[in-house]
Amino acid sequence: SSNPKEIVVDPRDANVAYVGNHDWVSAGIYKTTDGGQHWRRRGEEDIRDYGWITKWGPSVKCLALSPAAPDRLAFGTSGHVFLSDDAGATWQQRYCKQLPDGRFTGAGLEVTCSWRVVADPVRPKRVYFCYMDIGLLISDDNGTTFRRSADGMKMGGNCFGVVVDPKAPNTLWAATGWWDTNEGDICRSDDDGLTWRAVDDVEQVAPLSWALWRSTWNPTEPGASSFQVRATDVLGEVQTAARRDPIPSGATGLHGVEVGIGLEEYRAAVA
């Protein structure tokens, strides 16, 4: 399949044109030298260096040709920038440079969507960048260089937040998931972000802190059901349904959720 989005024409020869294909299956740059009768593609298999963004290929979002030097072309994807100085025969990424130790330094050309920037509470030069599509980046020099951190995450493509244990800085927590569906994981790392694991239940880190928990419920019949949850404060008093100031107990009224189970959903649940 094809989905051409961009086209540029060589000002020296109208028969020479380049088309940028946006389709994920056959993405890349197509070139003709005979007015469109024949085309040659430069795609994923022709580009050796993708930098640190390796989750997708050359799906062309924009394409430009230099009128002053028509053999120079550039195209961008959702995250990369590629440049050619030989009329599209070869392409090189220009948005970052990899250092000998595996870290990357950016050129300021990344096209990304950041959810959050988190400063480490202990290490003054450590910064965490939480992105859509490309996940979590960790920098130890105030953003000059960085490394991607996603090994072990099931949904590491999107990172929405990071928390660092100030008493054990190598212990990190990250919120991950899909940005367009209600799915996600809380992930934990005990080696400073080198590896991660998804956790179902998060233990309390302090007596008065909230803890993530779950309860399994099997419907007995179709219809609407209401669930409410009560908390216990430091004095052992059980939370009531009355609304009140959340300070100092941190709770106001009961927490509830409404669930509707249709007949077909009920049959599937009990099958």
Side-chain angles (χ1 to χ4, degrees):
S1 60
S2 62
N3 185 9
K5 182 179 181 293
E6 302 287 329
I7 184 170
V8 294
V9 179
D10 191 323
R12 301 167 299 186
D13 186 350
N15 288 315
V16 177
Y18 305 84
V19 170
N21 193 27
H22 178 65
D23 190 275
W24 287 89
V25 178
S26 56
I29 300 294
Y30 291 77
K31 179 181 179 179
T32 179
T33 57
D34 56 11
Q37 297 185 47
H38 302 89
W39 294 88
R40 182 175 181 180
R41 174 176 172 265
R42 282 287 183 261
E44 184 172 4
E45 62 278 8
D46 301 303
I47 299 176
R48 297 173 181 260
D49 179 16
Y50 279 88
W52 59 271
I53 301 177
T54 58
K55 296 180 68 64
W56 63 85
S59 182
V60 180
K61 294 286 188 180
C62 55
L63 172 64
L65 179 148
S66 171
D71 286 341
R72 167 166 285 195
L73 298 100
F75 78 89
T77 74
S78 298
H80 314 93
V81 174
F82 294 99
L83 183 70
S84 174
D85 279 314
D86 54 12
T90 60
W91 295 87
Q92 296 79 38
Q93 65 87 4
R94 286 291 185 269
Y95 72 96
C96 70
K97 178 182 179 181
Q98 187 170 15
L99 303 179
D101 62 2
R103 293 177 301 152
F104 287 90
T105 178
L109 298 175
E110 297 92 338
V111 183
T112 52
C113 182
S114 178
W115 277 94
R116 186 161 292 146
V117 178
V118 179
D120 191 280
V122 178
R123 294 161 288 193
K125 293 185 177 182
R126 167 68 70 92
V127 185
Y128 305 87
F129 301 91
C130 306
Y131 285 100
M132 289 175 56
D133 295 330
I134 54 180
L136 174 63
L137 305 183
I138 300 178
S139 174
D140 287 302
D141 50 17
N142 288 323
T144 302
T145 63
F146 54 86
R147 59 183 171 89
R148 187 167 184 264
S149 178
D151 187 15
M153 292 180 176
K154 294 188 293 185
M155 303 181 187
N158 298 301
C159 183
F160 305 106
V162 171
V163 175
V164 183
D165 186 342
K167 295 182 179 180
N170 286 339
T171 299
L172 313 176
W173 300 87
T176 66
W178 302 118
W179 56 268
D180 57 345
T181 62
N182 190 27
E183 297 179 80
D185 287 317
I186 299 296
C187 295
R188 174 172 175 163
S189 173
D190 292 304
D191 55 12
D192 208 19
L194 295 178
T195 60
W196 296 83
R197 71 181 188 276
V199 294
D200 291 329
D201 300 312
V202 180
E203 64 266 27
Q204 282 183 279
V205 297
L208 298 181
S209 67
W210 287 98
L212 180 67
W213 61 278
R214 66 181 179 183
S215 178
T216 301
W217 170 68
N218 294 316
T220 57
E221 60 182 357
S225 298
S226 177
F227 297 87
Q228 292 183 323
V229 180
R230 295 191 298 179
T232 302
D233 67 14
V234 68
L235 299 177
E237 296 182 2
V238 179
Q239 181 182 2
T240 68
R243 307 289 293 183
R244 65 186 182 192
D245 193 326
I247 300 175
S249 299
T252 171
L254 299 183
H255 300 275
V257 62
E258 300 289 334
V259 179
I261 303 294
L263 182 58
E264 294 301 322
E265 294 170 314
Y266 170 73
R267 289 174 177 172
V270 299

